[in-house]
Amino acid sequence: METEYLLDEEFGERLLISINADKSELGSNIRAARAILRSYDEISIRINPHTYAIGHKNPEYTICEELGDRKGVMSEKGITAGFKSAKRQGCKIVVIDLDEHVMHLDSFSLSKYISRRKTDFTSCMITDCYVVFYGKAVRVNARYQTRREIETKLETLRP
């Protein structure tokens, strides 16, 4: 089935939005996608059409041709569930959206929970993780970065 996409008013072709995207999460999905695009010039994102199949939760994004999903975690402890859910959805990229509910940055705890997902990265089930906070994003990867390196990277998100 062909899907029509709209060009984002801020990023044009770098952010394509399906006319059939999930309207209930569209504002949050656009906000987090724009944070990633502001932080990384080489990235392009599509917000995917919503699927209404029973029991099927579809990934919100295609980021540089890889499926990704935004996880609006309630706390740092939600990282584990977010990664597990993204893997069940067939995603290679996890977007941790702190601006949705958490609204603070505890880089120590966050780096700890992301580092615990090292096996997801080394097995290539997950290729990238973006953390969005305060309108900016960083890309972290526990396959290549230590917990301390992830923590240092997360600290750059502070306003």
Side-chain angles (χ1 to χ4, degrees), residues 83-84 87 117-127:
F83 269 73
K84 287 179 179 180
K87 289 189 316 184
R117 306 309 310 166
K118 184 175 182 107
T119 303
D120 295 335
F121 291 100
T122 57
S123 68
C124 296
M125 290 195 73
I126 299 294
T127 58

Side-chain angles (χ1 to χ4, degrees), residues 102-118:
V102 179
M103 303 206 199
H104 73 276
L105 180 66
D106 180 347
S107 57
F108 179 82
S109 291
L110 197 55
S111 65
K112 177 176 69 173
Y113 283 101
I114 292 171
S115 293
R116 288 180 180 170
R117 306 309 310 166
K118 184 175 182 107

Side-chain angles (χ1 to χ4, degrees), residues 32-47:
R34 285 178 177 165
I36 294 168
L37 295 173
R38 259 184 231 108
S39 301
Y40 295 94
D41 292 336
E42 73 280 7
I43 301 289
S44 62
I45 299 175
R46 276 193 324 262
I47 296 179

Side-chain angles (χ1 to χ4, degrees), residues 22-159:
D22 183 353
K23 304 294 186 246
S24 68
E25 295 186 351
L26 188 57
S28 295
N29 288 338
I30 291 172
R31 177 188 43 72
R34 285 178 177 165
I36 294 168
L37 295 173
R38 259 184 231 108
S39 301
Y40 295 94
D41 292 336
E42 73 280 7
I43 301 289
S44 62
I45 299 175
R46 276 193 324 262
I47 296 179
N48 296 323
H50 187 63
T51 302
Y52 293 97
I54 295 172
H56 177 75
K57 214 166 150 16
N58 55 307
E60 281 126 353
Y61 297 131
T62 300
I63 302 174
C64 295
E65 303 309 315
E66 294 280 359
L67 288 178
D69 202 48
R70 182 184 63 81
K71 302 299 179 186
V73 297
M74 301 301 267
S75 76
E76 293 79 9
K77 293 178 182 176
I79 300 295
T80 302
F83 269 73
K84 287 179 179 180
S85 171
K87 289 189 316 184
R88 277 194 306 273
Q89 292 172 270
C91 294
K92 293 285 190 183
I93 299 172
V94 179
V95 176
I96 303 298
D97 183 4
L98 299 179
D99 288 340
E100 182 79 6
H101 300 291
V102 179
M103 303 206 199
H104 73 276
L105 180 66
D106 180 347
S107 57
F108 179 82
S109 291
L110 197 55
S111 65
K112 177 176 69 173
Y113 283 101
I114 292 171
S115 293
R116 288 180 180 170
R117 306 309 310 166
K118 184 175 182 107
T119 303
D120 295 335
F121 291 100
T122 57
S123 68
C124 296
M125 290 195 73
I126 299 294
T127 58
D128 273 310
C129 175
Y130 292 90
V131 179
V132 173
F133 181 66
Y134 214 73
K136 297 188 299 183
V138 292
R139 182 174 22 205
V140 295
N141 187 316
R143 178 179 189 165
Y144 305 110
Q145 295 168 307
T146 65
R147 191 206 59 77
R148 190 73 168 124
E149 289 170 331
I150 292 171
E151 181 180 4
T152 299
K153 187 98 174 206
L154 291 169
E155 278 295 318
T156 66
L157 291 173
R158 286 204 188 278

